[in-house]
Amino acid sequence: MRLLDTEPFSGMRLPLVAAPMFLVTGPDIVIAACKAGIMAGAASASARTAEEYDEWLARITEELAHFETQTGRKPGPYAANLSAGAGKDGQRAALFERQLEICKRRRVPIVISVGGAPADLVKEVHGWGGVVFHDATSVRHAEKAAEAGVDGINLIAGGGGGHAGTINPFALVPQVRRFFGGVIVLGGAISTGSGILASQALGADLCYMGTRFIATQESMAPQAYKDMLVSAETSDILYTPAFTQGVPCNFMKSSIRANGFDPDRLSAEATPDNPRFAERKPWRDIWAAGHGVGLIQDVPTVAQLVDRLEEEYNVAIGSLGTRAKCFAKSLA
């Protein structure tokens, strides 16, 4: 039996995951997404403390259970989002251990891990019956995740917001599918229902959507951030290592300018002795977005967005079938 045919995923109406995002994803957006029938990741890094994260998970679990009782409909699954690379720093490692213990106590069914080597985390989560999906931005990262025994790989292709890769999904997904038989989740510039269908056509099982969910009523992002997403175009996205310790990320040029930096001169300004770079923090002050920002025109509720995506998805299925029949007829 496929993993996606098992109990945690039975309430999904679309093959879609609302990606966990630092300082954006809180319990409101997770609950709304799961009630709407998709999977959602709860970003542990967005909580101020491990105790607050425990409260978030308690609220998510309770509200989704109440929803199922009241409606008779099974919600989509939620996933805890943890950093597999937290062991490099003592304070971060201690926080990770507390968060992991919380997830173990609550028997969280799905863990989305980011950074580092997830092998130890996989053993721990499998020990309580959960599954692990790990973020990867390259074929080599995906190979390491597969070797660690993960159940799913979130492939962040070129054009994704924040920490994204540079590989085109048309090349990335088929290469990973050659050696990985588990769940593949594709992210990167996907903002529509037709994009979800296209990710499946490439060989992905689920679609990872982040930027589009920042611009929703339930996200924790400031209203100015949401408004900037609506007004931004794809040409406004800059892939730069200037604000994230040498690791390139996709940020909005308009946000970079709003913080007093020139997007065209970042390589010259980003010096260790420039205090302004220490004062302006990525994610908090410098706002991330992916290439899909050019398709964002409003700030709906999560429920409204998922309804729209489902309609677009179904229309895309129908139109694709029509085009395929027309092409086959032309060859006859």
Side-chain angles (χ1 to χ4, degrees):
M1 178 183 291
R2 292 190 324 144
L3 176 60
L4 294 183
D5 293 328
T6 60
E7 177 61 24
F9 304 95
S10 61
M12 296 182 69
R13 67 192 262 209
L14 270 178
L16 176 62
V17 182
M21 294 169 284
F22 178 49
L23 299 182
V24 169
T25 306
D28 288 346
I29 194 170
V30 173
I31 292 167
C34 293
K35 286 183 177 180
I38 65 172
M39 178 175 157
S44 63
S46 295
R48 290 167 295 183
T49 64
E51 290 70 29
E52 183 178 46
Y53 192 58
D54 191 14
E55 293 171 2
W56 285 7
L57 294 184
R59 181 186 160 201
I60 291 168
T61 302
E62 291 166 7
E63 291 202 26
L64 294 182
H66 180 71
F67 170 81
E68 185 172 1
T69 299
Q70 291 295 106
T71 65
R73 300 199 331 256
K74 188 169 181 61
Y78 78 90
N81 175 221
L82 303 176
S83 174
K88 297 179 181 179
D89 177 88
Q91 186 174 359
R92 289 177 60 214
L95 175 60
F96 168 77
E97 290 300 328
R98 292 199 300 274
Q99 293 168 340
L100 181 59
E101 181 56 36
I102 289 167
C103 292
K104 181 178 181 179
R105 172 165 46 84
R106 294 190 172 280
R107 295 293 190 268
V108 171
I110 309 165
V111 171
I112 294 175
S113 60
V114 59
D120 291 340
L121 179 62
V122 168
K123 293 177 183 178
E124 189 74 25
V125 176
H126 283 179
W128 74 65
V131 297
V132 176
F133 289 10
H134 187 71
D135 285 3
T137 58
S138 71
V139 175
R140 183 56 188 143
H141 288 158
E143 287 174 341
K144 291 181 178 180
E147 291 166 2
V150 301
D151 306 278
I153 300 177
N154 305 321
L155 295 176
I156 318 300
H163 289 294
T166 59
I167 304 175
N168 188 290
F170 284 91
L172 183 58
V173 174
Q175 288 184 73
V176 174
R177 185 52 86 193
R178 285 178 181 174
F179 60 81
F180 185 67
V183 176
I184 289 181
V185 188
L186 176 62
I190 304 170
S191 298
T192 64
S194 57
I196 297 172
L197 181 61
S199 71
Q200 290 182 295
L202 279 177
D205 300 286
L206 300 172
C207 171
Y208 214 38
M209 197 175 288
T211 302
R212 173 62 269 200
F213 279 94
I214 302 175
T216 58
Q217 294 292 321
E218 292 89 348
S219 91
M220 294 170 61
Q223 187 61 44
Y225 190 172
K226 299 176 186 180
D227 293 341
M228 189 175 287
L229 290 170
V230 172
S231 62
E233 300 292 342
T234 300
S235 59
D236 191 41
I237 304 304
L238 179 65
Y239 193 62
T240 175
F243 302 100
T244 46
Q245 300 178 331
V247 179
C249 294
N250 276 319
F251 294 102
M252 288 186 285
K253 294 178 184 177
S254 46
S255 179
I256 293 171
R257 292 190 190 97
N259 282 275
F261 300 101
D262 183 349
D264 297 323
R265 299 188 66 252
L266 286 178
S267 58
E269 293 183 348
T271 58
D273 58 348
N274 190 334
R276 293 195 303 131
F277 277 82
E279 295 167 359
R280 294 290 186 266
K281 302 294 185 182
W283 326 122
R284 187 195 69 185
D285 305 309
I286 312 293
W287 293 333
H291 289 180
V293 72
L295 296 167
I296 297 176
Q297 298 178 319
D298 60 359
V299 185
T301 65
V302 168
Q304 290 169 337
L305 175 59
V306 174
D307 284 345
R308 181 191 307 168
L309 292 169
E310 183 181 43
E311 181 178 356
E312 293 171 348
Y313 179 77
N314 290 330
V315 168
I317 291 174
S319 61
L320 182 63
T322 299
R323 285 194 294 272
K325 289 178 182 178
C326 289
F327 183 72
K329 184 176 180 181
S330 69
L331 294 178

